[in-house]
Amino acid sequence: MTGVGILLRSFLRRDRWLLVWWPLGGMLLYWSQAVSIEGLYATQAEFDRAALAMESNPAFIAMAGPARALNTIGGQVTWQATAFGAVVAGLMTMFIIGRHTRAEEESGRDELLRSGAIGRRAPLTAALAVAGIANLLFGGLIAVSLISVPLAVADSVALGVGVGLFGMAFAGVSLLAAQLTASTRSVYGITGAVLAGSYALRAVGDVGNETLSWLSPIGWYQRMYAFSGLRWWPALLLVALAVLVLLAAYAVFERRDIGSGVLAARPGPDRATPALGTPLGLAWRLQRGSVVGWMLGMAFVGLSYGSIGDGAGDLVGDNEAAREMFAAGGVDLVAGFQAIAMVMIAMISSAFAIASVLRARAEEESGRLEPLLATGVSRIRWLLSHVAVTVVGSVLVVAAGGLGMGVGYGLVTGDAGAPWRFTWQTSAWLPAVLALAGLTRLLYGIRPRLATAGWLGLAFVAVVLLLGEVLRFPDWLRDVSPFEHLALQPVAEFDAVAFAAVLAAAALMGVAGWFGFARRDVG
């Protein structure tokens, strides 16, 4: 274990912002549910009616989890936040472990470090310690934020402890995946597949055979039953899983060569297709898996929203404040709910657009861009190829969300025209998605190290959308968000001027980013 302390300090220095924003963002997921529900219903009778409508909707249960004590604030927080909070913890931990283990071996930095006086297991242990600190912060912030609402102390702590243990279980899964494969992308693929499988098992089990939910770590976390008869013993299952996979990861590590994985990498084809011989073909090949994955994910999200059908009124009860919020001051509550759902689809899709822009930065950081430019490919062709993939991918991802929502609504209500109508109305938010991508491109073009700050733009629009009214943000601050300027269809008519203005702003930021990229050093 020689050198663990030095490596830990180095990793913490590199991850200082990651250790701030991931736990804060996850905490906001729980805390925002608590403060938004508090005061939403005027009477307990309204709350009871809304809870009854939620717990009788299989789509809601599949999306969020077992419905318990939904007529309480704590029960609602547990129901609405735990499944997604576990996903956030799993992704955060996966990126930390992958970044400090397999990515270091791929880049060759790990071999350089090992030439010094450090122990063989020191890098793994230091990465695991960083993951532990991140999950401790995540769980601690959740507990403190819920206690401040105020909610019951023991149940609030249980939600924090559960998500922290879930994150450590996936630290073990990621660490084991890093020993099995020879590439960071494969580590993310394996860990992501395990995470998606956990979510799917829980969803199928919660609406059908509960035994399947007991095969999912997310199901274990939710079955601690915080705020509805708290019990701690399911947390022991998460502890056992974490210990087992970590022991397996260390055991496999001792039996493999540094720089390789247990599973041999398959050689690629000896000849590339003609399309791969162009910058555009290469950019698409690098991102096509992400585009397809996001399309499927957003179609599922849209399907969940659409399956509510015309039952939005049952969810908010008779509370006038809630009705005004969903109807945005209009008269049609169902249309208002659909409009909010479309905004959510567009906002989530913005994460794809930002990640797509950051893929270009990853190519530059990995050192693959310089030899590519040495072949005669110009900077403008290379960057425009990535811009084209980001734009086309964003269109497809947003449209998939709208189409899924329309299909879900059409299946419930029999409205055959809903898929086309919802696809178009959701796609009208595309300029806002591209504006966030343009902001990230601008930051990347000026200074690559600032590019990840594009995620702050997404966090800002989410805070404005979810908490702008609660926190009484001034109008000028809310106007900074591109989502504030587009027409809230279907409760408002399509505004072509606003659509074109936000689209122009997105294009201007993209062009400014290109000028910056053209004038700075590469690498």
Side-chain angles (χ1 to χ4, degrees), residues 101-467:
T101 55
R102 180 49 64 184
E104 292 293 283
E105 291 191 45
E106 274 192 294
S107 66
R109 286 191 292 265
D110 183 77
E111 188 174 359
L112 190 63
L113 283 173
R114 290 179 186 279
S115 65
I118 64 169
R120 176 177 169 82
R121 292 185 290 272
L124 272 70
T125 305
L128 192 61
V130 175
I133 291 171
N135 282 290
L136 182 64
L137 287 173
F138 191 6
L141 286 173
I142 289 173
V144 171
S145 67
L146 294 182
I147 291 171
S148 70
V149 169
L151 295 177
V153 173
D155 299 84
S156 300
V157 170
L159 286 185
V161 169
V163 80
L165 292 176
F166 181 88
M168 289 312 295
F170 269 78
V173 172
S174 303
L175 202 59
L176 180 58
Q179 315 313 312
L180 297 177
T181 68
S183 74
T184 310
R185 292 179 64 184
S186 297
V187 172
Y188 294 162
I190 292 174
T191 310
V194 175
L195 192 58
S198 299
Y199 188 92
L201 276 174
R202 180 213 56 77
V204 175
D206 288 345
V207 297
N209 186 350
E210 191 179 8
T211 303
L212 295 176
S213 296
W214 283 105
L215 299 177
S216 165
I218 298 179
W220 303 341
Y221 174 35
Q222 292 186 323
R223 274 155 183 76
M224 291 175 69
Y225 291 152
F227 299 104
S228 59
L230 175 63
R231 54 186 187 182
W232 289 93
W233 67 262
L236 296 177
L237 297 174
L238 293 169
V239 173
L241 176 63
V243 171
L244 284 175
V245 289
L246 284 173
L247 289 176
Y250 273 91
V252 174
F253 173 73
E254 296 295 342
R255 291 163 174 76
R256 73 170 178 87
D257 294 331
I258 300 298
S260 66
V262 172
L263 305 177
R266 292 184 305 171
D270 55 353
R271 290 182 181 276
T273 61
L276 202 54
T278 65
L280 181 59
L282 176 60
W284 172 249
R285 177 66 181 83
L286 291 172
Q287 300 202 41
R288 69 180 182 184
S290 173
V291 173
V292 173
W294 271 92
M295 287 177 65
L296 293 175
M298 292 313 301
F300 175 75
V301 171
L303 192 67
S304 302
Y305 282 129
S307 63
I308 297 171
D310 293 328
D314 298 330
L315 301 183
V316 298
D318 301 324
N319 186 281
E320 287 301 322
R323 287 177 172 272
E324 286 182 8
M325 181 185 73
F326 281 109
V331 294
D332 191 337
L333 180 63
V334 174
F337 176 81
Q338 292 168 350
I340 295 294
M342 292 174 189
V343 175
M344 293 300 295
I345 288 173
M347 193 171 65
I348 298 172
S349 299
S350 299
F352 160 78
I354 294 171
S356 178
V357 175
L358 293 179
R359 185 55 199 258
R361 172 178 174 262
E363 288 298 297
E364 181 178 349
E365 282 192 332
S366 68
R368 290 189 287 266
L369 174 57
E370 289 180 81
L372 187 65
L373 295 179
T375 65
V377 174
S378 67
R379 288 190 180 201
I380 186 171
R381 282 189 68 196
W382 178 80
L383 191 60
L384 285 179
S385 299
H386 281 273
V387 170
V389 172
T390 298
V391 172
V392 172
S394 299
V395 171
L396 293 174
V397 169
V398 172
L403 179 62
M405 185 176 171
V407 169
Y409 184 83
L411 290 174
V412 172
T413 63
D415 184 350
W420 160 248
R421 188 172 69 253
F422 283 23
T423 300
W424 157 245
Q425 291 173 342
T426 306
S427 298
W429 291 97
L430 189 62
V433 175
L434 295 179
L436 289 175
L439 172 64
T440 310
R441 185 84 62 194
L442 172 62
L443 296 172
Y444 167 65
I446 296 173
R447 194 170 183 181
R449 291 184 61 183
L450 297 177
T452 52
W455 292 111
L456 295 180
L458 179 58
F460 172 75
V461 300
V463 170
V464 168
L465 178 66
L466 299 174
L467 302 173

